[in-house]
Amino acid sequence: IRYVREGGGSISSRLVIAGAKGILLSSNRSLLAEYGGPVTLTRAWAHSLLKRMKFVRRKGTTAKSKFAPGNFQQLKQDFLEEVRDIIEMEEVPAELVLNWDQTAIRIVPSTSWTMEKRGSKRVEIVGKDDKRQITAVFCGTMLGDFLPIQMIYKGKTVRCHPKFAFPSDWDITHAPKHWSNEDTMRRYIERVIIPYVERVRADVGGDKTALVIMDNFSGQTTEPILNLLEENNILVSLLPPNTTSDLQPMDIAVNKPAKDYIKRCFEDWYANEIVQQLEKSDDQEEEEMCPKPVNLSLPLLKELGAKWLVGMAEHLHENPLFIVNGFIHSGVTAAFD
């Protein structure tokens, strides 16, 4: 843990748990609960260890807290009535009721912990905004279909992309700050959304109207983007401001499971790295047995992260109820019925 911090890395409870798991797997795995033992590595234990190591907890983000409007119920009712009216009047099939959402993904799990003396007035979290963070655009349909993903890496050329062979229907792109913008959204609509809609229309017959539910993100509500959607007979229903956590299906039921999958992959990989280091140190002298820091370099993690992202997408494909439940809990499915 100290090696990671001294090297400028951030410390999270998952990293602590993964390190402890690696030590136990190397020394006596029968102690772990998954092997029938009494030891369960929890976040509470990890936080206790960090406190004893004099870690100070700090928020790793400056994002504003979510604001729930006082007239939320009326906004929700109006929004769902609009969705219902569009679906009824345009006869939109369920497989063409879509919701997409941009979400930030950290290949190395983010953290609110850093090593500083207690009482420090200012605590810097090194690496909070580094290139290990990427933006993904997830899209699902009311029937539970999970569309190809757009990945936005931080950089100015394709050299910032992983060398990993992504599925051919994914859209892999980049932006100076890895953020979604009007250009990346145009790419996404042209390369992912329109081909999907056209395939569905070919299957069901006729030029069926599609409906996309999306938030008010400025990069996707510009006149050129809205015109592009309209030209392809894709209608838009905008979520009321500040309601994405309650009314956006992807935000409700997909973003968190997707990120949890990536975190589990990182935890398993990190624990395995610890095991390998400890096994290599068995023949060393005692004073040389302290393991070296686990390699958290950007090139390595970018390739590993690409592999984990593909596994995550396959996980969502195999579990469409994640997506279906998002539409149910938002109320959109009831509006369609």
Side-chain angles (χ1 to χ4, degrees):
I1 292 170
R2 295 187 187 279
Y3 265 134
V4 171
R5 182 59 189 148
E6 289 167 5
S10 56
I11 305 301
S12 68
S13 58
R14 280 190 176 272
L15 187 142
V16 175
I17 291 170
K21 182 178 179 181
I23 293 170
L24 290 175
L25 286 172
S26 176
S27 60
N28 187 357
R29 67 179 58 206
S30 64
L31 291 174
L32 288 167
E34 53 260 50
Y35 293 96
V39 176
T40 300
L41 299 171
T42 64
R43 289 183 64 191
W45 169 80
H47 289 172
S48 173
L49 176 64
L50 289 169
K51 288 179 180 178
R52 284 177 274 138
M53 293 179 68
K54 307 303 181 184
F55 274 63
V56 177
R57 189 174 189 177
R58 289 292 185 270
K59 291 294 183 183
T61 178
T62 58
K64 296 180 180 179
S65 59
K66 293 182 178 179
F67 168 74
N71 59 339
F72 169 73
Q73 290 302 326
Q74 185 61 51
L75 291 173
K76 177 179 180 179
Q77 180 179 335
D78 293 343
F79 165 71
L80 293 176
E81 286 180 357
E82 176 188 280
V83 170
R84 182 194 63 207
D85 291 344
I86 293 174
I87 291 174
E88 288 182 353
M89 289 188 296
E90 301 293 336
E91 298 182 350
V92 182
E95 53 265 62
L96 287 182
V97 179
L98 306 95
N99 169 237
W100 68 57
D101 185 32
Q102 299 85 5
T103 187
I105 293 179
R106 287 183 179 272
I107 300 173
V108 177
S110 58
T111 177
S112 56
W113 293 87
T114 189
M115 184 179 287
E116 295 288 347
K117 293 181 179 180
R118 293 187 181 278
S120 299
K121 293 183 179 180
R122 181 174 178 82
V123 179
E124 297 290 343
I125 299 181
V126 179
K128 182 172 78 70
D129 192 33
D130 66 9
K131 294 182 180 180
R132 292 173 179 83
Q133 181 165 303
I134 51 184
T135 296
V137 183
F138 296 154
C139 182
T141 74
M142 192 185 298
L143 288 187
D145 297 317
F146 188 65
L147 275 62
I149 299 173
Q150 181 185 63
M151 300 302 309
I152 307 172
Y153 287 89
K154 183 176 181 179
K156 297 181 179 180
T157 70
V158 295
R159 294 179 62 185
C160 70
H161 299 187
K163 297 179 181 178
F164 182 82
F166 284 102
S168 59
D169 55 355
W170 285 30
D171 181 35
I172 311 302
T173 186
H174 53 271
K177 294 185 177 181
H178 78 74
W179 294 340
S180 183
N181 54 43
E182 182 180 323
D183 291 336
T184 63
M185 284 310 303
R186 173 175 286 277
R187 278 181 58 107
Y188 178 67
I189 293 168
E190 292 176 341
R191 301 184 182 206
V192 176
I193 298 302
I194 293 176
Y196 169 80
V197 170
E198 290 178 346
R199 286 196 301 272
V200 172
R201 287 171 178 164
D203 290 339
V204 301
D207 186 22
K208 294 290 186 179
T209 299
L211 171 64
V212 59
I213 296 167
M214 63 185 192
D215 57 36
N216 290 270
F217 164 56
S218 59
Q220 64 190 16
T221 54
T222 63
E223 185 175 351
I225 294 296
L226 296 178
N227 288 340
L228 175 62
L229 292 170
E230 184 180 356
E231 290 166 4
N232 289 274
N233 197 18
I234 302 173
L235 302 183
V236 172
S237 182
L238 292 177
L239 292 161
N242 305 309
T243 61
T244 56
S245 61
D246 296 291
L247 297 180
Q248 178 142 256
M250 293 296 101
D251 202 23
I252 292 172
V254 174
N255 290 352
K256 186 179 185 302
K259 295 179 181 181
D260 285 345
Y261 183 95
I262 300 295
K263 291 176 181 178
R264 289 194 299 271
C265 289
F266 173 82
E267 183 177 307
D268 291 342
W269 170 79
Y270 192 90
N272 185 61
E273 291 293 301
I274 294 292
V275 170
Q276 293 185 31
Q277 284 196 14
L278 293 176
E279 289 177 347
K280 289 179 181 178
S281 67
D282 285 346
D283 298 329
Q284 296 176 350
E285 297 294 330
E286 183 175 350
E287 62 270 14
E288 299 176 352
M289 288 181 62
C290 185
K292 297 178 181 179
V294 173
N295 182 7
L296 297 178
S297 65
L298 178 60
L300 173 63
L301 288 173
K302 190 177 288 187
E303 300 300 322
L304 287 171
K307 179 181 177 181
W308 298 339
L309 286 163
V310 172
M312 175 270 296
E314 293 174 351
H315 176 64
L316 291 175
H317 278 297
E318 294 168 358
N319 296 274
L321 279 180
F322 281 120
I323 302 164
V324 171
N325 286 336
F327 282 88
I328 291 174
H329 291 299
S330 69
V332 172
T333 301
F336 181 83
D337 293 341

